[in-house]
């Protein structure tokens, strides 16, 4: 699984990266968490409010920091 | 400002569906508690200051302390209530929907709509760049995009609550309306600039914008309220400290600076007070929460409304960090024009307030 956080280095983006990493570790998943800061790459996902969250090339949410429960649920729904 | 994370797909059905009356009961109950507490603040502050601490009512210190003890909980309560309401309203909007609503609108009508949507659409200046590209790429005129970008930070709920709590609803309304007008007019003027498209960095026009699913705004009331509660907590955590510091400085001014001390410097008769106030506001960023209590206290001491509101508008609408962010998509020439036009609008508004009030 590849989790991408879209956003050009804002404080919220860092938090989303950390949160995703935390949930991945907690669930014991084999997943990589990447930061995407290139504007063209961000726009290619059609996201207009950062941070955007992309799991396996699908945009699952944008515009803020998800709660931990939300993050967990989003990631788990992509496994099964 | 911070805003809620929106999920692209619809919410999964909640595992335990609470009965509707329970949810609305909780919200209405909270509103009643809020109201009752709010009513008790003044007597409580007086009691604390003059009875419990035992300060003399006419003393400088007594006045400053009573002012502080009343204003801090009052502003924090107002902020909590207002942010909750605004955040609930924002769950009905998303940048993607706003873009769709603005699509195909011309200059004029488009500017008015963009400024209004700027007030309710969740927006944070850190996403100004992707938003700008997303708007412009989909064919929304540059002037209309600017109306949105000016209104979104300027007419924000924190500034409005602080004005409402400290200056009363008339001034808050005046700020709301003039803020919208500046955003509309500045956007129209920018749209009329010759070759405005060339002021945008060339790479913007070559971008390939993909489409993600529409973030859903079709939520249950349950998740609307829980999202709103979440962003209320986040925003309060971010601003409470500025509010306390701002009110502390304001309380000091209130208690210690003599009446009318500032009439000559910031009063109506000092013609240069408005432009100076605007210039002072530019380097300050995102501290509307801390600045409004200070300017409120300054006004009590003889400053007039014109420079005070102009200062506030320039603090929130013209911030250096936002200019630096926008520089990535705009050439310097257009940024200078943008700042110049908005500054002119604010200065004009400042003089108008001095004239009218």
């Amino acid at each position: 699984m590849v989790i991408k956080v879209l956003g050009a280095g804002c404080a919220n983006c860092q938090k989303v990266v950390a949160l995703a990493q935390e949930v991945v570790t907690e669930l014991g998943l084999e997943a990589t968490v990447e930061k995407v800061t290139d504007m063209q790459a961000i726009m290619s996902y059609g996201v207009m409010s950062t941070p955007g969250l992309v799991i396996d090339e699908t945009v699952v949410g944008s515009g803020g920091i998800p709660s931990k429960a939300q993050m967990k649920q989003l990631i788990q729904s992509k496994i099964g | 400002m911070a805003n809620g994370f929106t999920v692209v797909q619809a919410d999964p059905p909640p595992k335990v569906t609470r009965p509707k009356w329970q949810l609305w009961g909780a919200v209405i109950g909270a509103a009643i508690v809020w109201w009752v507490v709010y009513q008790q603040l003044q007597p409580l502050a007086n009691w604390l200051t003059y009875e419990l601490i035992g300060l003399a009512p006419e003393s400088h210190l007594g006045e400053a302390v009573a002012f502080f003890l009343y204003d801090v909980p009052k502003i924090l309560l107002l902020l909590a209530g207002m942010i909750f309401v605004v955040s609930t309203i924002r769950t009905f909007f998303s940048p993607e929907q706003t873009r769709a609503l603005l699509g195909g609108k011309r200059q004029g009508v488009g500017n008015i709509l963009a400024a209004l949507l700027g007030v309710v659409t969740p927006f944070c200046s850190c996403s100004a760049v992707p938003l700008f590209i997303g708007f412009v790429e989909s064919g929304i005129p540059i002037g209309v995009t600017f109306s949105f970008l000016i209104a979104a930070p300027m007419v924000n709920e924190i500034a409005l609550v602080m004005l409402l709590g400290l200056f009363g609803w008339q001034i808050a309304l005046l700020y709301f309306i003039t803020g919208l007008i500046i955003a509309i007019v500045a956007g129209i003027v920018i749209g009329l600039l010759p070759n405005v498209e060339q002021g945008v960095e060339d790479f913007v026009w070559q971008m390939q914008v993909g489409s993600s699913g529409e973030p859903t705004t079709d939520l249950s009331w349950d998740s609307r309220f829980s999202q709103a509660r979440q962003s209320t907590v986040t925003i309060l955590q971010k601003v409470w400290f500025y509010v306390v510091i701002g009110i502390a400085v304001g309380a000091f001014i209130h208690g210690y600076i003599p009446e009318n001390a500032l009439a000559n410097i910031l009063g109506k008769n000092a013609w240069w007070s408005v432009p100076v106030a605007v210039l002072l506001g530019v380097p300050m960023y995102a501290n509307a929460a801390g600045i409004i209590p200070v300017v409120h206290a300054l006004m009590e001491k003889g400053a007039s409304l014109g420079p005070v509101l102009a200062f506030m508008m320039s603090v929130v609408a013209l911030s250096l960090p936002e200019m630096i962010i926008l520089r990535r998509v705009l050439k310097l020439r257009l940024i200078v024009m943008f700042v110049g036009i908005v500054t002119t609008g604010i200065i004009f508004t400042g003089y108008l307030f001095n004239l009218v009030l």
Side-chain angles (χ1 to χ4, degrees):
Chain A
M1 178 187 284
V2 181
I3 299 171
K4 289 180 181 171
V5 177
L6 314 178
C10 54
N12 284 352
C13 310
Q14 310 292 348
K15 287 182 195 153
V16 176
V17 171
L19 183 67
Q21 197 69 63
E22 189 186 327
V23 170
V24 164
T25 318
E26 226 169 79
L27 296 173
L29 296 173
E30 279 196 27
T32 53
V33 181
E34 293 171 13
K35 257 193 302 183
V36 178
T37 53
D38 176 56
M39 199 43 69
Q40 172 62 66
I42 294 174
M43 292 313 294
S44 69
Y45 289 101
V47 163
M48 281 205 297
S49 38
T50 54
L53 185 64
V54 174
I55 300 179
D56 287 340
E57 297 307 305
T58 318
V59 180
V60 294
S62 64
I65 306 170
S67 67
K68 194 171 176 185
Q70 249 177 340
M71 178 69 88
K72 220 174 215 172
Q73 186 235 319
L74 287 169
I75 291 177
Q76 276 172 331
S77 70
K78 289 283 167 183
I79 309 171
Chain B
M1 283 300 118
N3 46 64
F5 178 80
T6 42
V7 182
V8 170
Q9 301 99 330
D11 274 3
K15 289 177 199 94
V16 194
T17 339
R18 278 188 289 174
K20 270 217 164 79
W21 63 265
Q22 214 172 334
L23 175 69
W24 288 99
V27 172
I28 293 165
I32 292 171
V33 171
W34 185 95
W35 179 248
V36 171
V37 173
Y38 190 80
Q39 295 302 315
Q40 299 309 314
L41 290 178
Q42 182 74 74
L44 187 69
N46 287 342
W47 180 79
L48 277 174
T49 315
Y50 304 124
E51 306 287 324
L52 193 70
I53 311 179
L55 294 167
E58 293 303 316
S59 68
H60 286 312
L61 187 62
E63 268 188 36
V65 170
F67 183 88
F68 181 79
L69 289 180
Y70 173 54
D71 267 19
V72 168
K74 178 178 90 169
I75 294 298
L76 290 179
L77 265 183
L78 277 173
L79 273 176
M82 184 77 162
I83 295 171
F84 185 81
V85 171
V86 173
S87 306
T88 308
I89 296 173
R90 287 205 173 134
T91 61
F92 289 91
F93 294 86
S94 71
E96 286 76 7
Q97 271 183 333
T98 292
R99 178 175 59 177
L101 283 170
L102 289 175
K105 293 285 183 302
R106 307 206 149 267
Q107 284 270 26
V109 183
N111 294 86
I112 297 170
L113 192 62
L116 287 170
L117 286 167
V119 180
V120 290
T121 308
F123 170 75
C124 151
S125 63
C126 51
S127 358
V129 168
L131 188 121
F132 183 89
I133 298 173
F135 273 29
V136 171
E137 276 285 309
S138 76
I140 295 171
I142 291 170
V144 175
T145 306
F146 268 108
S147 282
F148 179 91
L149 283 176
I150 297 166
M154 181 139 77
V155 190
N156 72 75
E157 69 274 21
I158 293 179
L160 286 175
V161 170
M162 306 291 291
L163 286 174
L164 184 73
L166 294 169
F167 291 82
W169 66 269
Q170 296 93 332
I171 304 278
L173 186 68
L174 199 62
Y175 178 88
F176 178 80
I177 292 171
T178 49
L180 282 180
I181 292 175
I182 291 176
I184 293 165
V185 173
I188 291 176
V189 173
I190 290 171
L192 291 175
L193 293 175
N195 301 325
V196 65
E197 285 81 9
Q198 287 167 25
V200 175
E201 290 288 352
D202 302 324
F203 80 92
V204 172
W205 303 109
Q206 281 125 39
M207 283 252 170
Q208 300 295 314
V209 178
S211 69
S212 65
E214 288 263 303
T216 180
T217 46
D218 180 22
L219 303 163
S220 67
W221 280 103
D222 224 334
S223 33
R224 282 187 207 288
F225 286 138
S226 76
Q227 259 187 38
R229 203 187 53 206
Q230 207 181 322
S231 47
T232 307
V233 172
T234 316
I235 295 176
L236 279 181
Q237 277 172 347
K238 223 158 69 181
V239 303
W240 74 267
F241 186 69
Y242 296 110
V243 174
V244 172
I245 297 291
I247 294 175
V249 175
F252 175 80
I253 296 171
H254 177 81
Y256 286 91
I257 307 252
E259 295 286 325
N260 285 321
L262 297 168
N264 289 327
I265 321 170
L266 290 169
K268 280 188 192 184
N269 299 326
W271 65 268
W272 42 268
S273 61
V274 172
V276 168
V278 172
L279 284 181
L280 281 177
V282 177
M284 302 196 192
Y285 173 57
N287 285 341
I291 276 162
I292 297 172
V294 178
V295 296
H296 174 248
L298 292 179
M299 252 183 89
E300 278 186 342
K301 305 302 176 186
S304 65
L305 191 61
V308 163
L309 279 191
F311 176 69
M312 274 194 51
M313 285 179 163
S314 113
V315 169
V316 291
L318 295 169
S319 72
L320 214 50
E322 196 182 330
M323 297 310 135
I324 293 168
I325 290 172
L326 281 176
R327 176 66 189 86
R328 286 162 52 191
V329 279
L330 303 177
K331 288 178 189 153
L332 194 59
R333 186 163 54 97
L334 188 52
I335 295 210
V336 172
M337 295 301 276
F338 163 63
V339 173
I341 290 166
V342 176
T343 305
T344 312
I346 294 175
I347 291 178
F348 183 75
T349 312
Y351 282 125
L352 194 71
F353 285 143
N354 270 352
L355 215 67
V356 174
L357 298 163

